[in-house]
Amino acid sequence: MVYLKYKTGGEQMSSIVDDIRATARQLLTDGKVDVVIGYEKGSLPLKATPCFVRSPQDIDKLIWDETCENNLAAFSTLTEGKKAIIAKGCDSRALVVLLQENQLVRDDLYIIGVSCQGVINKKKIEAETGEILEASIADGKVTVKGMVCDKEYTFTEVKDASCQTCRYPNPVLEDIHIGGSIDVPQQAAVFADVAEMENKTAGERQAYFQEQMSKCIRCYACRNACPLCYCKECFVDCNSPKWLTGGVDQAENLFFQAGRVLHLAGRCVECGACSRACPQDVDIRALNRKMSKDVFTMYKHESGISMDSNPALNEYSADDPEAFLVKE
Amino acid sequence: MKITKEKFGQSFDALAADYQIIAPVSDAGGVNYKAVKSFSEVKQDYLNSKLPPKSFLFPQHEKLLSYKKEGKDVTIKNELKVGKSILFGVRPCDAKAMLLLDKVFKNDEYTDPYYYERRDNSVIIGLACNKISPTCFCSSMSISPASSEGSDIFLIDLGDSYQVEVITEKGKALMAGLEELVELSAEEQALVDTIKSAQTASKVDVSTITAKLDKMFDSPFWDTLHEKCLSCNACSFACPTCHCFDISEEVHKNEGSRVRTWDACMAPLFTLHGSGHNPRDKKKARWRQRMMHKFNYFVHNNGDIACVGCGRCIKSCPVNLDIRQVIDGVNNVELVVD
């Protein structure tokens, strides 16, 4: 449903890279920021890696393509000084939430907005091709040489699940916009994936989540990749009271994952960074999406889409849908 | 000598009656080691598991003892229960990693009974890597995709059969029942030779890294290396040699247990003191610790680098902080001479 003004991997992409580099150079040369947080080419095929550019000589490391999967807003609260951040739609939404929650100083932040047509989910590809030996992206096609087989995909086929349902490919808050923007038809959020889960029987859902949670090793890559999990002390690390043990079984793991999702109620921007970060392929997204749907349905709220809208749980109204509320 | 997979499978299934057999199975979008009852459950064609088999010797969460207070009486129960195990299909990197863990859990100062009871009661059946992942670099770590070091029995997959090498007395005892070993054909011998001579395509140079790190504690190299790290435990938990743990009490009313849980130097909580002081509160210090422990301290204490080149940390890192690049980075640091 999303119309692309520019094609993947085409000429437009390289001009975006040029513009990103030019902007970064200007910002650093003018001393407007201390660091530009962007992406550079990673060591693995189809993998970009976060990159912290402090001097103009490193600027040519910066890249931009469909492999830039990390949500760089996660580094905004970890990196000291004035910073410029390259932000996709979801990254900018996370920055909005962080600003609304007073975790960032707006004047210390320069947002280099880039519209995003989605990022590649490598795991999807490797499930078929085996480990990727070489890969290239050109003209909307992803060509992969794998250990099991070689295959060519259209970009849409290998787009991450969170990008499939994304309604905000354009940055919602930015200081400069690089490249074209993406036309998004006006339509309400679609939660077909959540409805599918809701339509399962309780037993089926329980079996599904038991299986998913049994894979979790509690490495906390999901939590740490999340730009909005910034608590100084996460409830899982708290030892007084001790909310949960170090036991790694599906019940304790679900307690952690469900607790995390509840803490993200009305805050999660659905960037999918948690699911992509998971080394064990746990379907964390299924929980986040259900929460997003509930928040959307009950409060008509989507997090981080505008600096003007109050966070769902920061607003009180006598019309809130809690049946137990007493109305005057 | 070789044995057909059919015969081997029959012996495997028979052994399952007396042994807990841990073997690679399809799991979590890849392969992991799990308890199996039959050879038919074993994943045959795999590069390596997502998680190393170390958890069977050193579980992620283990009750050391439990206790109960009734009136003035306290009863304490030892929770160590160990049966005989076979770890099947262990790759050369992971078998070597177990030799490194041995140095930690049994040395001149003390022996960890929890680890060692399991270790003594386990037989390691190693399996050569016929295919090599692009992130593997064991050839640089004094291992090879077909080295038998650390295995009690070592197998090379020849398709319908395994070439068998009995390495230790433990292996010999397990193999005693297998009388169906036959000679390899010339073709099979050639295949074995090819597999044995294979090297990983990815390489690092660790020849001088320990001495270099001796002089690098205060190097500016650490100032930026860590920046993209998210301080998660994915690399440590996926590492076959990482062995740090935390001991805590899990108490409910008048009973509880003392448990040992994996911990990791990447997490800020790892070094947080009761006083609130944290000697490694910065990522910089934590990443330096990771590199120093593996490539310097462990060498000084135990004579070996605590990395086996399995590449799991590279695959599991959400931000692609690649240890091969960090090793290259250390090698490229120019030391300032005082």
Side-chain angles (χ1 to χ4, degrees), chain B residues 47 65 118 126 135 182 253 256 305 312:
Chain B
L47 287 170
L65 55 93
R118 284 192 203 93
T135 47
V182 291
K253 292 187 175 165
I305 287 177
R312 287 190 183 91

Side-chain angles (χ1 to χ4, degrees), chain A residues 42-44 47 49-50 52 54 70 75 78 131-133 147 215 217-221 224-225 237 242 245-248 277 279-281, chain B residues 28-29 32 47 50-51 60-61 132-135 227-228 230-234 237 248 250 261 269 314-316 318-320 322 324-325:
Chain A
S43 68
L44 303 175
K47 188 106 180 164
T49 183
F52 298 72
R54 287 196 164 76
N70 299 100
F75 298 102
L78 301 173
E131 279 185 33
I132 302 171
L133 298 168
M147 286 198 76
K215 296 190 288 186
I217 54 170
R218 297 267 286 282
C219 66
Y220 305 131
N224 294 14
D237 292 331
K242 197 163 185 157
T245 70
V248 182
Q280 286 285 96
D281 271 347
Chain B
N32 273 324
L47 287 170
K50 292 187 117 181
L51 298 169
Q60 185 166 4
H61 181 255
I132 301 164
S133 161
T135 47
E227 271 190 303
K228 62 185 170 185
L230 293 167
S231 302
C232 76
N233 299 339
F237 287 2
S248 60
E250 289 176 359
T261 314
L269 200 66
I314 302 166
K315 285 179 192 161
S316 60
V319 294
N320 187 217
D322 189 323
R324 294 170 299 180
Q325 292 180 323

Side-chain angles (χ1 to χ4, degrees), chain B residues 18-86:
Chain B
D18 297 325
Y19 289 85
Q20 180 196 35
I21 306 186
I22 308 299
V25 297
S26 293
D27 179 64
V31 166
N32 273 324
Y33 290 87
K34 298 256 158 126
V36 297
K37 288 278 175 221
S38 154
F39 189 63
S40 60
E41 296 171 56
V42 177
K43 177 85 174 157
Q44 290 291 331
D45 187 19
Y46 65 101
L47 287 170
N48 204 354
S49 58
K50 292 187 117 181
L51 298 169
K54 75 172 174 184
S55 58
F56 291 93
L57 301 177
F58 170 44
Q60 185 166 4
H61 181 255
E62 175 179 26
K63 259 188 200 177
L64 302 177
L65 55 93
S66 59
Y67 41 80
K68 192 170 185 177
K69 187 171 179 244
E70 283 168 306
K72 286 188 175 175
D73 295 330
V74 178
T75 47
I76 297 177
K77 198 167 116 203
N78 179 358
E79 290 285 352
L80 179 62
K81 295 182 202 83
V82 174
K84 291 192 294 180
S85 292
I86 294 171

Side-chain angles (χ1 to χ4, degrees), chain A residues 248-274:
Chain A
V248 182
D249 56 46
Q250 51 92 5
E252 296 267 341
N253 295 346
L254 180 62
F255 189 90
F256 156 58
Q257 294 288 359
R260 198 179 85 84
V261 170
L262 286 164
H263 285 187
L264 287 164
R267 305 174 61 237
C268 172
V269 294
E270 297 188 42
C271 64
C274 51

